[in-house]
Short mmCIF file of all heavy atoms in Angstrom, two decimals:
data_model
loop_
_atom_site.label_atom_id
_atom_site.label_comp_id
_atom_site.label_asym_id
_atom_site.label_seq_id
_atom_site.Cartn_x
_atom_site.Cartn_y
_atom_site.Cartn_z
N PHE N 472 -235.23 -79.95 -6.91
CA PHE N 472 -234.51 -81.26 -6.89
C PHE N 472 -234.03 -81.73 -8.26
O PHE N 472 -234.86 -81.55 -9.22
CB PHE N 472 -235.41 -82.25 -6.24
CG PHE N 472 -235.74 -82.07 -4.78
CD1 PHE N 472 -235.42 -80.95 -4.21
CD2 PHE N 472 -236.36 -83.24 -4.09
CE1 PHE N 472 -235.73 -80.89 -2.73
CE2 PHE N 472 -236.68 -83.16 -2.77
CZ PHE N 472 -236.38 -81.92 -2.14
N THR N 473 -232.87 -82.44 -8.35
CA THR N 473 -232.34 -82.96 -9.57
C THR N 473 -231.99 -84.41 -9.28
O THR N 473 -231.17 -84.65 -8.46
CB THR N 473 -231.25 -82.20 -9.98
OG1 THR N 473 -231.55 -80.75 -10.33
CG2 THR N 473 -230.81 -82.72 -11.33
N ILE N 474 -232.53 -85.26 -10.09
CA ILE N 474 -232.09 -86.62 -9.96
C ILE N 474 -231.12 -86.99 -11.10
O ILE N 474 -231.29 -86.51 -12.19
CB ILE N 474 -233.37 -87.70 -10.05
CG1 ILE N 474 -232.85 -89.08 -9.74
CG2 ILE N 474 -234.09 -87.49 -11.39
CD1 ILE N 474 -234.18 -89.99 -9.73
N SER N 475 -230.13 -87.82 -10.90
CA SER N 475 -229.29 -88.29 -11.81
C SER N 475 -228.78 -89.70 -11.54
O SER N 475 -228.95 -90.26 -10.29
CB SER N 475 -228.06 -87.28 -11.92
OG SER N 475 -227.31 -87.24 -10.67
N ARG N 476 -228.11 -90.29 -12.48
CA ARG N 476 -227.72 -91.69 -12.34
C ARG N 476 -226.18 -91.76 -12.98
O ARG N 476 -225.89 -91.10 -13.86
CB ARG N 476 -228.63 -92.66 -12.85
CG ARG N 476 -228.70 -92.67 -14.45
CD ARG N 476 -229.89 -93.65 -14.77
NE ARG N 476 -229.65 -94.98 -14.39
CZ ARG N 476 -230.56 -95.91 -14.38
NH1 ARG N 476 -231.79 -95.66 -14.53
NH2 ARG N 476 -230.25 -97.09 -13.98
N ASP N 477 -225.49 -92.71 -12.49
CA ASP N 477 -224.10 -92.97 -12.88
C ASP N 477 -224.16 -94.58 -13.10
O ASP N 477 -223.89 -95.32 -12.09
CB ASP N 477 -223.09 -92.48 -12.08
CG ASP N 477 -221.65 -92.74 -12.68
OD1 ASP N 477 -221.53 -93.64 -13.48
OD2 ASP N 477 -220.85 -91.93 -12.33
N ASN N 478 -224.36 -95.09 -14.24
CA ASN N 478 -224.47 -96.56 -14.44
C ASN N 478 -223.09 -97.22 -14.11
O ASN N 478 -223.13 -98.37 -13.77
CB ASN N 478 -224.95 -96.90 -15.90
CG ASN N 478 -226.37 -96.51 -16.11
OD1 ASN N 478 -227.10 -96.48 -15.08
ND2 ASN N 478 -226.80 -96.12 -17.26
N ALA N 479 -222.07 -96.64 -14.48
CA ALA N 479 -220.70 -97.10 -14.22
C ALA N 479 -220.53 -97.31 -12.75
O ALA N 479 -219.87 -98.34 -12.27
CB ALA N 479 -219.63 -96.29 -14.89
N ARG N 480 -221.05 -96.36 -11.95
CA ARG N 480 -220.86 -96.45 -10.42
C ARG N 480 -222.09 -97.25 -9.84
O ARG N 480 -222.19 -97.37 -8.62
CB ARG N 480 -220.71 -95.10 -9.81
CG ARG N 480 -219.37 -94.40 -10.25
CD ARG N 480 -219.33 -92.98 -9.66
NE ARG N 480 -218.23 -92.32 -10.07
CZ ARG N 480 -217.03 -92.47 -9.51
NH1 ARG N 480 -216.85 -93.06 -8.54
NH2 ARG N 480 -215.94 -91.73 -10.03
N LYS N 481 -222.99 -97.58 -10.60
CA LYS N 481 -224.25 -98.28 -10.26
C LYS N 481 -224.96 -97.50 -9.16
O LYS N 481 -225.34 -98.01 -7.97
CB LYS N 481 -223.91 -99.71 -9.68
CG LYS N 481 -223.17 -100.61 -10.76
CD LYS N 481 -222.77 -101.98 -10.15
CE LYS N 481 -222.21 -102.81 -11.21
NZ LYS N 481 -221.86 -104.17 -10.62
N SER N 482 -225.09 -96.24 -9.38
CA SER N 482 -225.64 -95.25 -8.33
C SER N 482 -226.72 -94.34 -8.87
O SER N 482 -226.70 -94.00 -10.19
CB SER N 482 -224.32 -94.51 -7.72
OG SER N 482 -223.60 -95.30 -7.03
N VAL N 483 -227.56 -93.81 -8.05
CA VAL N 483 -228.45 -92.85 -8.37
C VAL N 483 -228.38 -91.79 -7.32
O VAL N 483 -228.09 -92.12 -6.10
CB VAL N 483 -229.93 -93.39 -8.52
CG1 VAL N 483 -230.37 -94.04 -7.20
CG2 VAL N 483 -230.82 -92.42 -9.03
N TYR N 484 -228.60 -90.58 -7.66
CA TYR N 484 -228.39 -89.48 -6.78
C TYR N 484 -229.57 -88.47 -6.79
O TYR N 484 -230.35 -88.53 -7.80
CB TYR N 484 -227.18 -88.58 -7.27
CG TYR N 484 -225.95 -89.36 -7.43
CD1 TYR N 484 -225.56 -89.85 -8.66
CD2 TYR N 484 -225.13 -89.77 -6.40
CE1 TYR N 484 -224.37 -90.58 -8.99
CE2 TYR N 484 -223.92 -90.58 -6.59
CZ TYR N 484 -223.53 -91.06 -7.87
OH TYR N 484 -222.51 -91.79 -8.06
N LEU N 485 -229.83 -87.71 -5.76
CA LEU N 485 -230.87 -86.77 -5.57
C LEU N 485 -230.23 -85.52 -4.96
O LEU N 485 -229.89 -85.51 -3.89
CB LEU N 485 -231.93 -87.20 -4.88
CG LEU N 485 -233.21 -86.38 -4.76
CD1 LEU N 485 -233.81 -86.14 -6.11
CD2 LEU N 485 -234.22 -86.73 -3.73
N GLN N 486 -230.13 -84.51 -5.90
CA GLN N 486 -229.56 -83.15 -5.43
C GLN N 486 -230.81 -82.37 -4.97
O GLN N 486 -231.71 -82.17 -5.73
CB GLN N 486 -228.71 -82.42 -6.46
CG GLN N 486 -228.39 -81.07 -6.12
CD GLN N 486 -227.36 -81.04 -5.07
OE1 GLN N 486 -226.38 -81.93 -5.05
NE2 GLN N 486 -227.42 -80.14 -4.03
N MET N 487 -230.77 -81.94 -3.73
CA MET N 487 -231.89 -81.30 -3.10
C MET N 487 -231.57 -79.88 -2.68
O MET N 487 -230.68 -79.70 -1.89
CB MET N 487 -232.45 -82.05 -1.95
CG MET N 487 -232.92 -83.46 -2.29
SD MET N 487 -233.69 -84.30 -0.95
CE MET N 487 -232.38 -84.35 0.31
N ASN N 488 -232.06 -78.83 -3.43
CA ASN N 488 -231.81 -77.46 -3.10
C ASN N 488 -232.98 -76.74 -2.62
O ASN N 488 -234.07 -77.31 -2.74
CB ASN N 488 -231.29 -76.73 -4.41
CG ASN N 488 -230.02 -77.37 -4.93
OD1 ASN N 488 -229.21 -77.87 -4.16
ND2 ASN N 488 -229.79 -77.37 -6.26
N SER N 489 -232.93 -75.59 -1.97
CA SER N 489 -233.97 -74.79 -1.58
C SER N 489 -234.98 -75.72 -0.65
O SER N 489 -236.15 -75.63 -0.82
CB SER N 489 -234.74 -74.15 -2.62
OG SER N 489 -233.85 -73.40 -3.42
N LEU N 490 -234.27 -76.32 0.28
CA LEU N 490 -235.20 -77.32 1.03
C LEU N 490 -236.09 -76.50 1.87
O LEU N 490 -235.86 -75.60 2.44
CB LEU N 490 -234.25 -78.20 1.84
CG LEU N 490 -233.69 -79.39 1.05
CD1 LEU N 490 -232.33 -79.89 1.81
CD2 LEU N 490 -234.66 -80.50 0.75
N LYS N 491 -237.30 -77.19 2.08
CA LYS N 491 -238.41 -76.72 2.90
C LYS N 491 -238.73 -77.67 3.97
O LYS N 491 -238.35 -78.86 3.90
CB LYS N 491 -239.61 -76.52 1.96
CG LYS N 491 -239.40 -75.66 0.83
CD LYS N 491 -240.59 -75.61 -0.03
CE LYS N 491 -240.50 -74.70 -1.23
NZ LYS N 491 -241.67 -74.64 -2.17
N PRO N 492 -239.29 -77.18 5.14
CA PRO N 492 -239.71 -78.07 6.14
C PRO N 492 -240.61 -79.26 5.77
O PRO N 492 -240.49 -80.32 6.19
CB PRO N 492 -240.47 -77.28 7.18
CG PRO N 492 -239.85 -75.83 6.88
CD PRO N 492 -239.66 -75.74 5.43
N GLU N 493 -241.37 -79.08 4.62
CA GLU N 493 -242.27 -80.06 4.10
C GLU N 493 -241.49 -81.12 3.43
O GLU N 493 -242.04 -82.21 2.98
CB GLU N 493 -243.47 -79.47 3.23
CG GLU N 493 -242.99 -78.58 2.18
CD GLU N 493 -242.95 -77.06 2.58
OE1 GLU N 493 -242.76 -76.85 3.86
OE2 GLU N 493 -243.47 -76.28 1.73
N ASP N 494 -240.18 -80.98 3.14
CA ASP N 494 -239.49 -81.99 2.43
C ASP N 494 -238.88 -82.99 3.52
O ASP N 494 -238.27 -84.00 3.13
CB ASP N 494 -238.22 -81.39 1.83
CG ASP N 494 -238.59 -80.47 0.59
OD1 ASP N 494 -239.58 -80.82 -0.09
OD2 ASP N 494 -237.89 -79.33 0.46
N THR N 495 -239.15 -82.80 4.83
CA THR N 495 -238.77 -83.70 5.85
C THR N 495 -239.42 -85.00 5.76
O THR N 495 -240.61 -85.11 5.41
CB THR N 495 -239.14 -83.14 7.22
OG1 THR N 495 -238.36 -81.87 7.37
CG2 THR N 495 -238.84 -84.04 8.40
N GLY N 496 -238.61 -86.08 5.89
CA GLY N 496 -239.02 -87.41 6.01
C GLY N 496 -237.93 -88.39 5.82
O GLY N 496 -236.74 -88.03 5.67
N VAL N 497 -238.29 -89.63 5.65
CA VAL N 497 -237.30 -90.70 5.28
C VAL N 497 -237.37 -90.82 3.75
O VAL N 497 -238.46 -91.21 3.31
CB VAL N 497 -237.60 -91.97 6.06
CG1 VAL N 497 -236.62 -93.16 5.68
CG2 VAL N 497 -237.52 -91.75 7.62
N TYR N 498 -236.14 -90.81 3.20
CA TYR N 498 -235.98 -91.06 1.82
C TYR N 498 -235.55 -92.39 1.46
O TYR N 498 -234.52 -92.79 2.00
CB TYR N 498 -235.05 -89.97 1.18
CG TYR N 498 -235.72 -88.53 1.14
CD1 TYR N 498 -236.03 -87.70 2.31
CD2 TYR N 498 -235.95 -87.93 -0.04
CE1 TYR N 498 -236.66 -86.48 2.20
CE2 TYR N 498 -236.61 -86.79 -0.16
CZ TYR N 498 -236.97 -86.06 0.95
OH TYR N 498 -237.52 -84.82 0.89
N TYR N 499 -236.27 -93.03 0.58
CA TYR N 499 -235.95 -94.35 0.22
C TYR N 499 -235.55 -94.42 -1.17
O TYR N 499 -236.18 -93.97 -2.18
CB TYR N 499 -237.22 -95.31 0.52
CG TYR N 499 -237.52 -95.44 1.83
CD1 TYR N 499 -238.49 -94.63 2.44
CD2 TYR N 499 -237.00 -96.49 2.74
CE1 TYR N 499 -238.86 -94.89 3.76
CE2 TYR N 499 -237.45 -96.65 3.93
CZ TYR N 499 -238.37 -95.81 4.49
OH TYR N 499 -238.76 -95.97 5.83
N CYS N 500 -234.38 -95.14 -1.42
CA CYS N 500 -233.99 -95.35 -2.81
C CYS N 500 -234.66 -96.60 -3.22
O CYS N 500 -234.88 -97.57 -2.50
CB CYS N 500 -232.44 -95.50 -2.77
SG CYS N 500 -231.81 -96.04 -4.31
N TYR N 501 -234.92 -96.72 -4.63
CA TYR N 501 -235.51 -97.88 -5.25
C TYR N 501 -234.76 -98.20 -6.52
O TYR N 501 -234.23 -97.29 -7.23
CB TYR N 501 -236.97 -97.83 -5.43
CG TYR N 501 -237.42 -97.02 -6.56
CD1 TYR N 501 -237.67 -97.57 -7.92
CD2 TYR N 501 -237.78 -95.68 -6.41
CE1 TYR N 501 -238.04 -96.72 -8.96
CE2 TYR N 501 -238.07 -94.81 -7.48
CZ TYR N 501 -238.14 -95.40 -8.74
OH TYR N 501 -238.62 -94.51 -9.69
N ALA N 502 -234.85 -99.46 -6.88
CA ALA N 502 -234.43 -99.88 -8.16
C ALA N 502 -235.28 -100.95 -8.66
O ALA N 502 -235.84 -101.81 -7.89
CB ALA N 502 -232.92 -100.53 -8.17
N ARG N 503 -235.70 -100.78 -9.99
CA ARG N 503 -236.87 -101.57 -10.53
C ARG N 503 -236.51 -102.15 -11.87
O ARG N 503 -236.20 -101.59 -12.74
CB ARG N 503 -238.17 -100.89 -10.48
CG ARG N 503 -239.34 -101.53 -10.88
CD ARG N 503 -240.58 -100.57 -10.94
NE ARG N 503 -240.78 -100.09 -9.62
CZ ARG N 503 -240.94 -98.87 -9.37
NH1 ARG N 503 -241.02 -97.97 -10.32
NH2 ARG N 503 -241.25 -98.37 -8.06
N SER N 504 -236.56 -103.52 -11.98
CA SER N 504 -236.48 -104.10 -13.22
C SER N 504 -237.74 -105.18 -13.32
O SER N 504 -238.85 -104.67 -13.27
CB SER N 504 -235.21 -104.74 -13.50
OG SER N 504 -235.01 -105.41 -14.58
N MET N 505 -237.43 -106.39 -13.30
CA MET N 505 -238.54 -107.38 -13.08
C MET N 505 -239.12 -107.34 -11.67
O MET N 505 -240.29 -107.50 -11.56
CB MET N 505 -238.18 -108.76 -13.48
CG MET N 505 -237.72 -108.88 -14.99
SD MET N 505 -237.30 -110.48 -15.47
CE MET N 505 -238.85 -111.39 -15.05
N ASN N 506 -238.31 -107.00 -10.84
CA ASN N 506 -238.69 -106.91 -9.42
C ASN N 506 -238.28 -105.57 -8.82
O ASN N 506 -237.44 -104.81 -9.56
CB ASN N 506 -237.99 -107.92 -8.50
CG ASN N 506 -238.45 -109.33 -9.02
OD1 ASN N 506 -239.55 -109.63 -9.02
ND2 ASN N 506 -237.37 -110.20 -9.28
N SER N 507 -238.90 -105.13 -7.74
CA SER N 507 -238.58 -103.91 -7.03
C SER N 507 -237.68 -104.05 -5.83
O SER N 507 -237.93 -105.09 -5.05
CB SER N 507 -239.78 -103.12 -6.84
OG SER N 507 -240.45 -102.64 -7.87
N TYR N 508 -236.74 -103.28 -5.58
CA TYR N 508 -235.77 -103.27 -4.48
C TYR N 508 -235.80 -101.89 -3.78
O TYR N 508 -235.91 -100.86 -4.47
CB TYR N 508 -234.43 -103.76 -4.90
CG TYR N 508 -234.36 -105.10 -5.70
CD1 TYR N 508 -234.51 -105.13 -7.08
CD2 TYR N 508 -234.48 -106.27 -5.03
CE1 TYR N 508 -234.50 -106.44 -7.70
CE2 TYR N 508 -234.54 -107.49 -5.75
CZ TYR N 508 -234.50 -107.52 -7.12
OH TYR N 508 -234.61 -108.68 -7.76
N TRP N 509 -235.55 -101.98 -2.44
CA TRP N 509 -235.70 -100.82 -1.68
C TRP N 509 -234.35 -100.72 -0.81
O TRP N 509 -233.97 -101.80 -0.25
CB TRP N 509 -236.86 -100.67 -0.76
CG TRP N 509 -238.19 -100.64 -1.58
CD1 TRP N 509 -238.93 -101.62 -2.10
CD2 TRP N 509 -238.67 -99.48 -2.01
NE1 TRP N 509 -239.95 -101.13 -2.73
CE2 TRP N 509 -239.99 -99.82 -2.63
CE3 TRP N 509 -238.51 -98.15 -1.83
CZ2 TRP N 509 -240.87 -98.89 -3.26
CZ3 TRP N 509 -239.40 -97.25 -2.51
CH2 TRP N 509 -240.61 -97.52 -3.20
N GLY N 510 -233.92 -99.46 -0.57
CA GLY N 510 -232.89 -99.24 0.43
C GLY N 510 -233.54 -99.20 1.87
O GLY N 510 -234.75 -99.29 1.98
N GLN N 511 -232.71 -99.05 2.82
CA GLN N 511 -233.30 -98.93 4.23
C GLN N 511 -233.72 -97.63 4.59
O GLN N 511 -234.37 -97.50 5.60
CB GLN N 511 -232.10 -99.36 5.11
CG GLN N 511 -231.08 -98.27 5.48
CD GLN N 511 -230.11 -98.04 4.32
OE1 GLN N 511 -230.03 -98.63 3.32
NE2 GLN N 511 -229.22 -96.98 4.54
N GLY N 512 -233.43 -96.63 3.75
CA GLY N 512 -234.07 -95.17 4.09
C GLY N 512 -232.89 -94.36 4.77
O GLY N 512 -232.09 -94.89 5.52
N THR N 513 -232.99 -93.19 4.40
CA THR N 513 -232.13 -92.11 5.14
C THR N 513 -232.98 -90.78 5.52
O THR N 513 -233.78 -90.47 4.78
CB THR N 513 -230.94 -91.65 4.23
OG1 THR N 513 -230.09 -90.89 4.93
CG2 THR N 513 -231.49 -90.90 3.00
N GLN N 514 -232.77 -90.52 6.89
CA GLN N 514 -233.64 -89.46 7.29
C GLN N 514 -233.09 -88.01 6.80
O GLN N 514 -231.90 -87.78 6.76
CB GLN N 514 -233.50 -89.36 8.81
CG GLN N 514 -234.39 -88.20 9.54
CD GLN N 514 -235.81 -88.35 9.42
OE1 GLN N 514 -236.33 -89.52 9.51
NE2 GLN N 514 -236.46 -87.31 9.03
N VAL N 515 -234.04 -87.26 6.36
CA VAL N 515 -233.77 -85.81 5.93
C VAL N 515 -234.76 -84.99 6.93
O VAL N 515 -235.85 -85.15 6.89
CB VAL N 515 -234.12 -85.55 4.49
CG1 VAL N 515 -234.02 -84.08 4.20
CG2 VAL N 515 -233.12 -86.36 3.66
N THR N 516 -234.16 -84.07 7.58
CA THR N 516 -234.83 -83.21 8.53
C THR N 516 -234.54 -81.76 8.11
O THR N 516 -233.40 -81.34 8.11
CB THR N 516 -234.64 -83.43 9.88
OG1 THR N 516 -234.91 -84.72 10.28
CG2 THR N 516 -235.39 -82.50 10.83
N VAL N 517 -235.54 -81.03 7.76
CA VAL N 517 -235.37 -79.56 7.34
C VAL N 517 -236.04 -78.75 8.38
O VAL N 517 -237.26 -78.68 8.65
CB VAL N 517 -235.95 -79.30 5.97
CG1 VAL N 517 -235.64 -77.74 5.60
CG2 VAL N 517 -235.47 -80.24 4.96
N SER N 518 -235.22 -78.06 9.22
CA SER N 518 -235.74 -77.36 10.34
C SER N 518 -234.69 -76.28 10.85
O SER N 518 -233.56 -76.57 10.70
CB SER N 518 -236.03 -78.37 11.56
OG SER N 518 -236.31 -77.61 12.84
#
């Protein structure tokens, strides 16, 4: 996996390669400064 960010686009990315069944789950994005914030989650299923 490779994480990256683009501050101009206000975005963070996760490139996931060679996925395995154990990578299955709901993936939540977070952003943290003085407080923590969470996304709603996105399902990844490797099968």
